[in-house]
Amino acid sequence: MSINNSKIKKISCYYLNLDLIKPYKLSYKTFYNFKPFLINIIDDEGREGWGEQHISPGSSFESRELGWNFIHNITSKILNKNLENAKKIILQNARKSPVASTSIYTAIEMLEENKILKANKTIKSEILTSFNSDNEEEIKEELDQLNELGFKTFKIKVGKSLNDDIKRVKTIQKHLNHRGRIRIDANRGYSEKEGCNFVKSLDPYGIELFEQPCDSKNWKANANVAKVSKIPIMLDEPICNLKDIERASKIKGVKFCKLKLKRFHSLQLLEEAIAFAHNKGIKIILGDGLGGSINCWMEAMVANNLIFKAGEYNGLMKIKKQFNYIKNPIKFEKGHLIIEKDWYPKIDKEKLFALTDYQFELG
């Protein structure tokens, strides 16, 4: 029997609660834990796949409640369907809850042994690291520590206080000492005026890009910031499909788009979006900083041989080790995730149950 003709026999859905090593501060929310959905799908021949995605409240219209309800609804519709029909059903409904739909669809792609997830040799995938310090002494100390760990790209969150942000970035640049580069991310936190004043104040030294200055729906404001910026602008939250990538490619000063698996529903569609962007002259940064081990693995595998800048799929580094439900965790070495040949996640079911707030099974 062709694998695409096999039928979904069992679906297990978990709503997890994973504590972080330290608070993860964004302009719109501070996270103390991640609460991803984890989906396990088994077909009638015993093959299984896992998909994992995290809804970030405040990032889009999706709430965790909406996503969990979507999972309840769609999984009941795809149970006992063959894989091709199940994928069609998911995509037909994906706009209702893009992140939740991705957790289900990618579980099927893993079950199918999608070629994107096959590593015929060990992969070293560079990742960036978040940066938390505020005062000068702590900034210098944190840069030294992160450099010792092999990180070369540092993510600086701004968007709360314009003057404080400018001062902090300049202090970081002062102590960078040609040891790496920084990406600045406002997470939509600035008004158009603040965004323009921010970029005009900066020396481009050591800055790779400035991400999402203004509200995701305000394309004009972001374009006006890009127009006066000496630093390449990257759009993030507005980029959800190929039309968005094309629109971004026509804005002067926008050189990058951030893509995330959770916005494109599938590994295959994400890979196609990267190729489309490159064809339009747009560089891609890939990765969700709020993703767990399975999402980080999947994004790293998509990035392999397609993207040559540090990935942002580093959420697994933020989660406390005792909250990792993978028996064979992805290794980290000198600023890189190490994905060994033929690596697939092995789930510690006992630990998984302990980390689960809600769950249900079908089949």
Side-chain angles (χ1 to χ4, degrees), residues 122-355:
T122 297
I123 293 170
K124 293 181 68 176
S125 188
E126 183 184 0
I127 57 172
L128 57 57
T129 182
S130 55
F131 194 90
N132 296 287
S133 299
D134 291 318
N135 69 59
E136 185 162 3
E137 184 176 343
E138 290 175 352
I139 284 171
K140 184 179 183 304
E141 184 178 344
E142 186 171 3
L143 278 172
D144 291 343
Q145 290 173 347
L146 293 174
N147 190 251
E148 281 292 313
L149 291 171
F151 288 110
K152 300 297 181 186
T153 307
F154 311 101
K155 188 73 171 278
I156 314 301
K157 295 290 186 178
V158 299
K160 288 186 176 181
S161 169
L162 178 62
N163 291 332
D164 289 345
D165 291 341
I166 292 169
K167 180 181 177 182
R168 181 168 176 254
V169 170
K170 288 183 176 180
T171 304
I172 292 168
Q173 289 177 296
K174 174 183 173 182
H175 294 286
L176 195 58
N177 294 329
H178 303 282
R179 292 180 294 177
R181 63 203 72 84
I182 61 177
R183 293 178 190 166
I184 304 172
D185 184 6
N187 283 122
R188 305 162 287 138
Y190 289 141
S191 67
E192 179 182 330
K193 182 179 179 181
E194 288 171 329
C196 290
N197 287 338
F198 180 76
V199 294
K200 287 176 181 177
S201 74
L202 293 179
D203 175 353
Y205 161 69
I207 303 176
E208 184 176 26
L209 56 85
F210 177 34
E211 179 178 349
Q212 202 57 49
C214 308
D215 186 78
S216 55
K217 295 179 182 178
N218 197 338
W219 285 77
K220 183 179 179 182
N222 287 297
N224 286 337
V225 174
K227 191 184 299 182
V228 299
S229 179
K230 295 173 284 187
I231 300 158
I233 298 297
M234 177 166 75
L235 296 183
D236 177 6
E237 284 85 358
I239 308 302
C240 299
N241 54 50
L242 301 187
K243 287 183 179 179
D244 296 333
I245 294 171
E246 184 163 20
R247 185 176 182 180
S249 72
K250 296 176 181 177
I251 301 174
K252 183 179 179 182
V254 173
K255 305 295 184 185
F256 292 86
C257 283
K258 165 85 79 66
L259 301 190
K260 298 175 182 177
L261 177 57
K262 67 184 181 184
R263 295 202 192 115
F264 285 84
H265 316 307
S266 90
L267 299 163
Q268 200 66 48
L269 292 175
L270 177 59
E271 193 174 75
E272 290 170 11
I274 294 169
F276 180 83
H278 288 165
N279 189 49
K280 294 292 179 181
I282 287 286
K283 298 175 184 176
I284 293 299
I285 301 295
L286 179 63
D288 180 13
L290 290 87
S293 293
I294 290 177
N295 182 70
C296 291
W297 163 58
M298 288 184 172
E299 289 188 330
M301 296 304 292
V302 172
N304 186 40
N305 295 324
L306 282 180
I307 296 174
F308 301 96
K309 290 188 176 291
E312 302 205 2
Y313 32 84
N314 63 355
L316 80 169
M317 303 292 293
K318 301 181 177 88
I319 300 168
K320 290 180 178 178
K321 285 186 178 180
Q322 62 266 39
F323 286 79
N324 189 349
Y325 54 84
I326 306 245
K327 290 181 180 179
N328 55 333
I330 295 171
K331 296 176 182 177
F332 171 81
E333 183 181 294
K334 296 182 179 178
H336 292 73
L337 298 182
I338 308 299
I339 301 171
E340 296 178 342
K341 179 181 176 182
D342 298 326
W343 187 92
Y344 259 44
K346 297 177 182 177
I347 307 301
D348 185 331
K349 294 285 184 69
E350 186 175 339
K351 183 174 274 191
L352 174 61
F353 295 145
L355 300 174

Side-chain angles (χ1 to χ4, degrees), residues 44 71 80:
D44 52 8
I71 289 170
N80 297 320

